[in-house]
Amino acid sequence: MKLQFWVCIFFMADLALEFIYSKRKTRYIITYFLLFIACIPYGTILPKLGITLPRDIGYFVSFMPLIRSCYALAIVVSWFAVQTSSKMFLTYVIILFSGLYLGSLGFYVCETNVNPDVRTYWDALWWAVMEAITIGCNIEAVTTGGKILSVIVGVLGLLIIPMFTVYVNNIVSVFHTVTTAAAEAAEEIPEKTDENGKKNLSEAKTMKKQ
């Protein structure tokens, strides 16, 4: 909670500074208002102020870390998307780990205090990793939200993990092509050198006769 609080404060300060230096303040407010609302550390501020939210509202407020994580994921992926294709591997890694984090966090929120197998966040993270690599886990979802996340995390693993195989295969293929071309070039150089040497020797003999 302390880490979340200071991360929220950092982003709120950053948004405030950008608003101060922005030339189009109205447009900036419209664009980043929801992000600013999501960055407010409700989990720390509300208990300090002694405010107790109704159960339904408190349940939705508990999803604020997920919303912040989605914003962060969108920012990071959009930044890597405009880079060169060589950064695609890192983009895949970010998407995979972000998906695991969001899925495990959502699973923990849905299943904790309901599912006896989910006692800590690490149980939820273990569940997410096992679901993503399609091995399966001894922890089964009992809530509707948990079952939906089971499908989403499983599909994410099926989509992203094969991309690593394709990417590595492309790297090996390019490496093989480069090394083969270098070996062929190395074999051609001595042949050209021998031909040039014979040509120079023949010219030298002709000049000597003359």
Side-chain angles (χ1 to χ4, degrees):
M1 294 300 293
K2 290 181 179 179
L3 179 61
Q4 269 193 65
F5 174 77
W6 289 111
V7 169
C8 291
I9 294 299
F10 173 81
F11 275 98
M12 291 175 67
D14 179 69
L15 291 172
L17 286 174
E18 288 184 355
F19 171 75
I20 293 172
Y21 288 102
S22 176
K23 295 181 180 180
R24 300 180 178 179
K25 298 187 183 303
T26 303
R27 183 177 179 182
Y28 187 86
I29 292 175
I30 295 173
T31 304
Y32 293 103
F33 178 74
L34 292 178
L35 178 59
F36 184 83
I37 295 299
C39 287
I40 298 174
Y42 299 98
T44 304
I45 292 177
L46 295 179
K48 292 289 184 181
L49 298 176
I51 299 175
T52 303
L53 297 175
R55 183 177 179 181
D56 295 337
I57 298 177
Y59 179 76
F60 285 106
V61 170
S62 65
F63 280 92
M64 276 299 170
L66 281 175
I67 297 174
R68 287 195 288 266
S69 299
C70 290
Y71 266 116
L73 176 61
I75 293 170
V76 172
V77 171
S78 64
W79 184 83
F80 279 106
V82 299
Q83 303 300 310
T84 59
S85 58
S86 61
K87 299 292 183 67
M88 287 303 297
F89 181 77
L90 186 57
T91 302
Y92 293 149
V93 172
I94 290 173
I95 293 174
L96 178 61
F97 280 93
S98 299
L100 291 176
Y101 170 71
L102 294 174
S104 61
L105 189 60
F107 189 79
Y108 177 72
V109 171
C110 294
E111 299 286 322
T112 186
N113 298 326
V114 178
N115 191 336
D117 293 328
V118 182
R119 294 181 295 273
T120 64
Y121 169 73
W122 301 109
D123 295 328
L125 183 60
W126 169 256
W127 165 88
V129 173
M130 292 297 103
E131 288 290 329
I133 60 180
T134 66
I135 292 179
C137 186
N138 60 326
I139 301 174
E140 295 184 1
V142 297
T143 64
T144 303
K147 292 177 181 178
I148 294 173
L149 287 171
S150 299
V151 176
I152 294 174
V153 173
V155 171
L156 176 69
L158 289 173
L159 292 176
I160 298 297
I161 292 177
M163 293 182 182
F164 290 109
T165 306
V166 174
Y167 190 85
V168 172
N169 185 43
N170 289 336
I171 292 176
V172 173
S173 178
V174 171
F175 179 77
H176 177 71
T177 303
V178 171
T179 52
T180 302
E184 292 176 353
E187 291 176 357
E188 292 177 358
I189 291 175
E191 294 178 358
K192 291 182 179 180
T193 302
D194 293 339
E195 292 176 359
N196 292 334
K198 292 178 181 178
K199 185 178 179 181
N200 294 335
L201 181 61
S202 176
E203 291 178 353
K205 290 180 179 180
T206 302
M207 293 177 63
K208 187 176 181 180
K209 289 180 180 179
Q210 292 177 351

